[in-house]
Structures are given as structure tokens and as C-alpha cells.
Amino acid sequence: MKKLILLIWFAGIAAVVYAEDVLITRFGAKPDGHTMNTVAIQKAIDYCYNKGGGRVIFPKGDFLTGTIEFRDNVKLHFEKDARLLGSTNVEDYRNVDPFTEGLGIDVGWALLVAVDRENIGIEGYGVIDGQGSALKAAHILKDTRPEGQRWGRRPFLLRVVRCNNVTVKDISLNYAGAWTSHYFQSRNILIQNVKIRSVGVAHNDGIGIDGCQKVAISNCDVVSGDDALVFKTTSSKMACKDITVKNMRLKSNQAGIKMGTESMAGFENIDIKNCYIYDTKNGGIKLLSVDGARIKNVTIADIKMDDVRTPVLLRLGSRLNVFRKGQDQQQPTGYFENVVLKNIKAVSVDSTQLKSATGILITGVPNHKLSGVTLENILIELPGGGTAEEINVNVPEAIDQYPEVKTFGPVIPAYGLWARHVKDIKIKGLQFRLRSNDLRPALFLQDATNMLVRDAVIPATEDAASTVQVKQSANINLQGWKVYGSIRSLIVTDEASRSQIHLEKNRLPREQNLFQ
């Protein structure tokens, strides 16, 4: 029944009738790459709207413009070899819906913007190019503020705000001045066969879904300077909900798939599958609730990652920011519920954000344990190289800080999985591989309750003190482990936790002690 409803919904989007095709050149647009066409293109869109809707056609050529606004029932159609070029002058852009992003910067300027519209879209095999590097070069000649403050003045490539029935398909989105595409509090969105190449300046997120519902994303190829596919909730008033993602290629200078950091409302009923993440500089999969979000009924499955830094980070924190000042209020700390990561294979690069690489980080805060997570059939290859001294490090709590892997670094006391302030975590089928020796344990648990780790495969290491370290924890179940090599003890633990560790059907080296 659910699949039938989705099919009917998509058919409804496809069935919207557009009355007329309107060429932008009819209204004076020049395809020379130099003439400012903002007025001409907007006239074509407005004319099409006043005629009851239709397609605004961008023919072959280079069309330079500033901010363009969508109208109801109008699609922008790009013929092959048509290019829409963003102006390199920031004064040619408007901010129709201002807000503050996760670093506290005022943003919202955009090249293409739709606010409170319906039945809109972008289609065709052309290119929308924000000329981000040239835009930045011109901008910094006039704006002397530090880059961390001035970047927000530069425009997004595409902004969709409080819209219904949005289609973006087959188009190439290139070189934004800031975020590439941002969809906010909109419904019934179809993003399909989109190619993104947006690098060269900071904050070039690829696809940003911000408090949207009924979203389908598929068959996109994203190379981004910031997070490739990111879900946000910059407002508490609308969750990211009822979303499917499949068949994606994701490369990023930050994360491949991310939820948060802006995380006031929930991330619910989200299904992500069959994605390839590669060459990421700051994480593979990151699920982050630090502003009150409920991360609930989320499945991420059948994921392959190559050459990533830190494959998985799950974080529940209490930063509790408000991003739309005067329009919203601070939320209580959120939670995780029924979050499943399964069938994941990842290969870490040799050099990561951390001094020595770690595969999985899961951490709550002292009064709010991260719970409700299942990891199933996970294989991670790591470079190794960790030292015995790194086992005793105190990892920062960073309760109210911006959540990143480096926030908890530079040292993590486990090479495989580090979990702190967690409960009700189930792990089934966990395997690590090492390219060189690592003296840290494979698993480090601190303040963990009701945790099951079953069918783990632990590679051989030399001279390591233990396979597992456990501190201040209760009801820890290790079942069906296969541990290779020669380690002095399976588990190093404090006295209070020792009686709370339950072992069953584990295959260990003969000479290995159980506890130290």
C-alpha cells in the first residue's frame, strides 16, 4: 500500500500540464556570456506564469544573470549546451528568505530562488554554473571581513523555500558561491539524475534537504566541496520526513551522507540505500542531533565507501542552537530511535582527521545517552598505527560544541569502534581489517548500558594489551566473536564493570586471558 501511494504521488507530479513553451531570447536574453539577462529571464518566467504556466526554454548559449525567482506552474527547461551563468558581482543577488546557518552566519542569497511556490521545476541537459571561484575573487576585493564571516554573503545556486511539487532532473549544477542546492520546508520533491560539480570555494554543499517531506532522490552524481548529501532542520517547525534516497555517487571534501548539524526538528522515516561514497575528507556517514532533533526510523543500507576519513560518526549532543532568530525557540535535547546501518563496506585512507584512524564513533553526553541504534554487517578496513599511549587519552565531552570528528580528537582510544554514553545498542556482524599493527583495542566502551556485540571478527595484532576496554558500563554482551593473533587479554575493565560483561561462544587464541 505504501509503495502504491508513492507511485500515485510521483505520477501526480509527472502529470502536471504546462500550457506554453517560452523562449528567453524572445524577451531579449543574449547568449553571449557577458550581457546581464536578469530582467529578460524574469520577464519570460512572469509571462509564462501569467499565461497559466508552461516551460521557459533556455536554448544553446551562455546566459549571464543575477537572482531569478520562480513562479507557480513554471518549469525551466535547458536544451543541450545551454548554460546559465551566475554573475560574479554579489550585488546582483537578493536574499528573499534570510536565515542563520550552523556556524552562526547570515545566509540566504541565491541565483535561482522559489518561495511559497508550487508545481515548479528545472529539467533538461544544460548547465547552471554559479562561477563560485570568480565570484569569491571579486567579492573579497570589496569585503574586508574575515572569510569565516563574509562567505555567507555569497549566493546559493538553487533555493527552494516552502514549495510544493518540485522536480529537478537531468540538469548539471556547478560551482556555487556557497551551498549548491537548498530545499527548505517543502513537500513532494523529486530530484533525479542530477549531476553536481561544486568545488573551489568553502561551504559548497551538494544537495541540502532542510525540513522537507515526501522527497525522492535517485541516480545523482555529486562532487562537492562540502557535504555531498546533507539533511538539516534549521527550524523546529518541520521535520525531514518520508524521504527515499537510492543509487547515488557521492564525493566530498566533508561528509558523504550527513544529518545535522542544524538539527532542531526531526529526521524521520528516511531510507537511504545503494550508494557509493568515495574520497571524502571529513567522514563517510554522519548522523548528528545536537539542537533537539529526533533521529527516528532511519535506515542506511548497502553502502560502499572507498578512501574515506572516519567512516561513521553518530552524535547526540546539547548545543541547542536557534537558527531563525525571533521565529523559533530553543528545543530540548533530542534522541535516536530505530536507527539502522547495515551492509556497509568501508576502506579508510591512511591519514585522517585523527592522529590514528578510527572506524566508528558513537557518543552521547552524560545526561543523554545515545540509544536505539543497530549496526549490522559492517566491514571496515583501517590503516592501523595506533599506539599504547593513545589508549589512556581523555576524549573531550564537547557537550555544546559543533559536532565533528575532530571535535573528539586528535586521539580516540580504539581503532575499530569507540562508544561513550550509550545504551540499547545492537551490533551484529562487525569486522575490522588492519593494514598495519595497532596497539589500541578494537572496541572501547565507556558509560555503556545494555549493549550487544555479536559475531565480531577481530584481526591479528601484536603486543596489544586487549581486544576490548570497558569502563563504567553495565550489561555488556559479547557473543560469537572470532579473535585472531596474540593479545594479552580479551578485556581490560574496571572492577565495577567486570561482573557486567557477559561472554558467550567466543573463539579466542588459546593463550589469551579473558580479563585484566
Side-chain angles (χ1 to χ4, degrees):
M1 180 59 70
K2 184 177 180 181
K3 290 183 178 179
L4 178 61
I5 291 171
L6 286 173
L7 287 171
I8 293 171
W9 165 52
F10 288 130
I13 293 177
V16 174
V17 176
Y18 293 91
E20 187 171 351
D21 285 353
V22 178
L23 269 170
I24 61 171
T25 50
R26 173 181 166 187
F27 293 84
K30 304 295 183 184
D32 57 17
H34 301 291
T35 303
M36 281 298 295
N37 292 298
T38 309
V39 173
I41 295 171
Q42 194 64 60
K43 282 183 178 179
I45 292 171
D46 293 347
Y47 173 86
C48 190
Y49 164 69
N50 289 326
K51 288 293 185 178
R55 301 192 307 170
V56 172
I57 308 298
F58 290 74
K60 179 180 178 179
D62 295 341
F63 297 91
L64 186 68
T65 184
T67 296
I68 298 297
E69 286 195 64
F70 285 83
R71 300 290 186 240
D72 291 345
N73 304 314
V74 175
K75 277 190 176 181
L76 307 185
H77 179 84
F78 287 78
E79 296 182 348
K80 186 179 179 182
D81 298 323
R83 287 204 309 164
L84 183 66
L85 300 177
S87 168
T88 58
N89 182 356
V90 296
E91 301 304 325
D92 289 329
Y93 298 94
R94 293 180 289 116
N95 192 344
V96 182
D97 179 72
F99 72 102
T100 303
E101 57 77 67
L103 294 170
I105 305 300
D106 293 333
V107 294
W109 289 266
L111 175 62
L112 295 173
V113 60
V115 178
D116 298 315
R117 303 298 179 192
E118 64 179 3
N119 303 328
I120 62 170
I122 303 172
E123 64 180 20
Y125 295 95
V127 174
I128 302 171
D129 189 332
Q131 304 194 97
S133 293
L135 175 70
K136 176 182 176 180
H139 180 216
I140 64 178
L141 294 176
K142 298 179 180 180
D143 190 336
T144 60
R145 292 177 296 166
E147 177 63 15
Q149 298 175 17
R150 69 184 166 207
W151 76 266
R153 179 61 182 82
R154 298 197 282 270
F156 299 2
L157 203 66
L158 170 64
R159 283 205 70 207
V160 175
V161 179
R162 297 185 300 275
C163 295
N164 184 44
N165 285 348
V166 179
T167 300
V168 179
K169 61 184 295 187
D170 302 325
I171 196 76
S172 292
L173 303 178
N174 294 348
Y175 307 112
W179 298 355
T180 306
S181 57
H182 179 226
Y183 303 82
F184 174 68
Q185 286 189 352
S186 297
R187 291 181 170 87
N188 301 316
I189 300 171
L190 177 65
I191 304 170
Q192 188 177 77
N193 300 325
V194 173
K195 186 175 182 179
I196 292 177
R197 297 293 182 268
S198 194
V199 297
V201 300
H203 310 289
N204 278 153
D205 295 78
I207 299 173
I209 306 298
D210 184 352
C212 295
Q213 300 183 358
K214 293 185 178 179
V215 180
I217 308 171
S218 64
N219 301 300
C220 297
D221 185 348
V222 180
V223 176
S224 63
D226 211 308
D227 302 314
L229 173 62
V230 55
F231 301 87
K232 307 171 180 283
T233 47
T234 58
S235 165
S236 69
K237 298 175 183 177
M238 189 166 166
C240 280
K241 189 174 181 180
D242 300 329
I243 297 171
T244 63
V245 178
K246 63 181 181 181
N247 305 333
M248 306 286 283
R249 286 178 58 88
L250 304 168
K251 176 181 177 180
S252 169
N253 285 339
Q254 293 295 324
I257 297 171
K258 178 176 169 184
M259 294 183 192
T261 68
E262 296 96 334
S263 49
M264 295 191 69
F267 305 96
E268 303 180 17
N269 305 337
I270 299 175
D271 186 15
I272 301 173
K273 63 184 178 182
N274 195 31
C275 297
Y276 179 55
I277 300 171
Y278 66 105
D279 194 17
T280 68
K281 301 298 191 293
N282 200 9
I285 298 169
K286 296 195 286 191
L287 308 183
L288 316 168
S289 170
V290 295
D291 303 309
R294 308 164 305 280
I295 301 182
K296 181 178 179 180
N297 299 334
V298 171
T299 299
I300 302 177
D302 304 317
I303 308 295
K304 183 179 180 182
M305 296 187 254
D306 283 326
D307 297 326
V308 299
R309 295 184 180 184
T310 311
V312 177
L313 169 63
L314 308 182
R315 170 60 166 171
L316 176 64
S318 299
R319 181 179 64 175
L320 306 182
N321 273 2
V322 175
F323 303 102
R324 294 173 182 263
K325 311 298 183 185
Q327 304 176 38
D328 218 330
Q329 60 185 4
Q330 190 178 66
Q331 301 297 298
T333 300
Y335 59 85
F336 283 55
E337 181 181 340
N338 191 29
V339 174
V340 179
L341 278 63
K342 66 180 181 180
N343 303 334
I344 294 173
K345 295 181 179 180
V347 177
S348 169
V349 294
D350 286 335
S351 178
T352 74
Q353 317 95 309
L354 303 168
K355 183 178 178 181
S356 303
T358 299
I360 303 171
L361 282 66
I362 306 176
T363 178
V365 292
N367 294 321
H368 299 278
K369 289 188 175 183
L370 193 158
S371 64
V373 171
T374 298
L375 306 182
E376 185 174 344
N377 193 22
I378 311 293
L379 169 60
I380 299 178
E381 179 181 312
L382 297 155
T387 67
E389 290 75 20
E390 293 173 340
I391 301 172
N392 300 315
V393 68
N394 290 318
V395 180
E397 290 285 359
I399 294 171
D400 60 354
Q401 300 301 301
Y402 189 95
E404 273 295 0
V405 173
K406 66 181 182 181
T407 303
F408 306 102
V411 175
I412 299 296
Y415 71 77
L417 184 148
W418 172 75
R420 181 177 66 182
H421 308 313
V422 299
K423 66 177 181 179
D424 301 325
I425 305 291
K426 296 179 181 179
I427 302 174
K428 306 172 185 178
L430 179 65
Q431 182 175 356
F432 298 112
R433 294 174 181 169
L434 292 171
R435 296 193 291 271
S436 64
N437 198 48
D438 202 306
L439 296 180
R440 296 172 297 167
L443 186 69
F444 192 107
L445 306 179
Q446 184 174 358
D447 188 25
T449 305
N450 300 334
M451 188 158 181
L452 170 66
V453 185
R454 192 176 75 194
D455 300 331
V457 179
I458 307 300
T461 54
E462 297 179 4
D463 299 322
S466 70
T467 302
V468 179
Q469 285 222 11
V470 181
K471 294 183 176 180
Q472 299 116 30
S473 298
N475 195 24
I476 306 300
N477 295 274
L478 310 180
Q479 301 175 6
W481 283 43
K482 296 179 181 178
V483 180
Y484 296 93
S486 178
I487 297 175
R488 292 193 290 274
S489 298
L490 176 66
I491 301 169
V492 171
T493 183
D494 55 43
E495 194 62 35
S497 303
R498 183 165 179 168
S499 64
Q500 295 293 313
I501 300 171
H502 311 289
L503 307 175
E504 184 178 349
K505 297 181 180 179
N506 299 305
R507 186 186 302 173
L508 312 175
R510 291 181 180 179
E511 65 274 18
Q512 187 174 65
N513 297 318
L514 289 180
F515 291 99
Q516 177 182 320

